[in-house]
Amino acid sequence: MNDIVEEIKKLKKELGKCEDNKITINPEIVKYNRNIIDYIVLHQYCHLKYKTHSKRFFEMLEKYQPDYKKCEEILLNI
C-alpha cells in the first residue's frame, strides 16, 4: 500500500492539489474560515480515491461535507 504524503507549500494558483498520492495544501488557505479550509482539504483527500471530478467523487464529497456546493460557490466568487 502506498503511503500518502502531505505537505504545505505555496502554490501558484491552486489552494490544494493531489498528484501521485501526494496532497499539497497552499498555506494561503488560512485566509478562509474553518468550513472552507475543511472543504479544501477534504476535496484533495477525495482525489486520492477519485482522480477526476466524477459523480462518485462528488457523492463522496457530499457524504462528508453536505454543504460543499456552498463552499465551491464562495471560492469561485473570490
Side-chain angles (χ1 to χ4, degrees):
M1 182 174 179
N2 293 337
D3 290 294
I4 298 168
V5 178
E6 303 167 347
E7 75 175 354
I8 296 175
K9 177 181 167 184
K10 181 93 173 169
L11 301 170
K12 291 181 182 181
K13 295 180 183 179
E14 310 101 331
L15 293 173
K17 69 179 183 178
C18 179
E19 294 177 333
D20 303 320
N21 284 341
K22 178 180 176 183
I23 293 175
T24 305
I25 300 295
N26 190 330
E28 296 293 314
I29 69 171
V30 299
K31 296 178 181 177
Y32 303 102
N33 69 38
R34 175 66 186 261
N35 198 43
I36 298 295
I37 293 169
D38 288 348
Y39 164 77
I40 293 166
V41 173
L42 177 61
H43 186 105
Q44 299 313 317
Y45 270 90
C46 288
H47 276 308
L48 291 171
K49 185 165 184 168
Y50 302 105
K51 302 304 179 196
T52 65
H53 292 127
S54 66
K55 180 180 179 182
R56 291 198 176 190
F57 170 88
F58 286 109
E59 288 171 349
M60 183 178 183
L61 193 56
E62 186 172 30
K63 177 181 178 182
Y64 295 103
Q65 192 164 15
D67 69 340
Y68 82 91
K69 289 181 183 179
K70 182 178 177 185
C71 296
E72 286 182 342
E73 186 177 318
I74 290 168
L75 290 170
L76 286 173
N77 291 316
I78 293 176

